[in-house]
Amino acid sequence: MSVTHVAAALIWRGNKFMICRRPPHKTRGLLWEFVGGKLEPGETAEQALVRECREELGVEVTPGKLFTEVVHTYPDMTVRLTVFNADIGRQEPQLLEHSEITWITSAEIDEYDFCPADVEILAKIKAECPAEPDERTLRLFESQKELLDTFLSTGALDRAQYEKSLNGLKEKLGL
């Protein structure tokens, strides 16, 4: 059986990473996975990752450091999955291919049913990536919250605007 090379993105927001749910009509439908896909002839894994994120999420991704590489054999195919840490900045992913998108911490992994090829990757995330936010993220949140508090106290924001901004900040930082 030939090996299909697949590039995938591990996209982080604070201490949460993005997972996508496969559409019901596809092989391994409704299982969760990392965004990505098969390399086309002549493509590098990084190029495939950029193309797949554009096609599946409508975002421009910046591939970072290699996170891991695994080989998994399904009954119908063998995949070599190359996973990169990746960044989408402030872009909001769109549901162009998947049925759902969500952001989870490493502590929430067991609450989702993933494609079998991702099991080894998820184990590495659990072992190496803490579920709690790092100090930098917490400091950033506190400084931005102080600014919002000032806007609220001076009347530059009303309570509804304040709550909306605070919730948006928490979501962006993965808190």
Side-chain angles (χ1 to χ4, degrees):
M1 185 179 315
S2 66
V3 176
T4 301
H5 192 179
V6 174
L10 181 53
I11 301 171
W12 291 91
R13 281 215 174 131
N15 67 327
K16 294 186 176 188
F17 60 95
M18 182 175 60
I19 58 172
C20 304
R21 195 170 204 185
R22 294 179 63 81
H25 64 277
K26 290 219 166 183
T27 307
R28 289 168 275 290
L30 299 178
L31 293 179
W32 292 88
E33 67 179 0
F34 300 99
V35 64
K38 299 174 192 165
L39 275 69
E40 292 182 353
E43 257 185 337
T44 66
E46 291 91 340
Q47 290 168 333
L49 191 62
V50 169
R51 177 183 50 76
E52 289 286 343
C53 286
R54 190 179 305 124
E55 291 172 1
E56 295 182 4
L57 301 174
V59 298
E60 292 299 319
V61 68
T62 304
K65 185 178 167 190
L66 177 70
F67 182 73
T68 193
E69 200 162 34
V70 299
V71 176
H72 182 82
T73 301
Y74 288 106
D76 59 326
M77 68 187 301
T78 297
V79 293
R80 182 174 121 211
L81 192 54
T82 303
V83 184
F84 293 93
N85 282 300
D87 184 48
I88 60 170
R90 294 182 158 187
Q91 301 170 82
E92 285 302 319
Q94 304 167 46
L95 286 173
L96 303 177
E97 172 73 21
H98 295 90
S99 61
E100 290 180 66
I101 296 170
T102 194
W103 299 84
I104 66 171
T105 66
S106 58
E108 297 170 304
I109 288 172
D110 294 337
E111 297 173 25
Y112 296 85
D113 292 323
F114 284 88
C115 292
D118 294 333
V119 169
E120 202 175 314
I121 300 159
L122 296 162
K124 182 174 170 124
I125 292 171
K126 283 182 184 180
E128 296 180 9
C129 306
E132 296 301 316
D134 60 25
E135 284 298 316
R136 181 181 159 274
T137 302
L138 291 174
R139 283 194 309 271
L140 178 60
F141 172 74
E142 288 302 322
S143 68
Q144 294 298 306
K145 184 180 179 304
E146 284 177 24
L147 188 58
L148 289 173
D149 290 344
T150 301
F151 289 157
L152 179 65
S153 68
T154 61
L157 288 177
D158 63 30
R159 177 57 66 179
Q161 292 169 317
Y162 173 85
E163 293 297 331
K164 182 178 179 183
S165 297
L166 190 60
N167 289 335
L169 178 61
K170 287 178 181 177
E171 183 179 325
K172 292 284 184 195
L173 296 176
L175 300 173

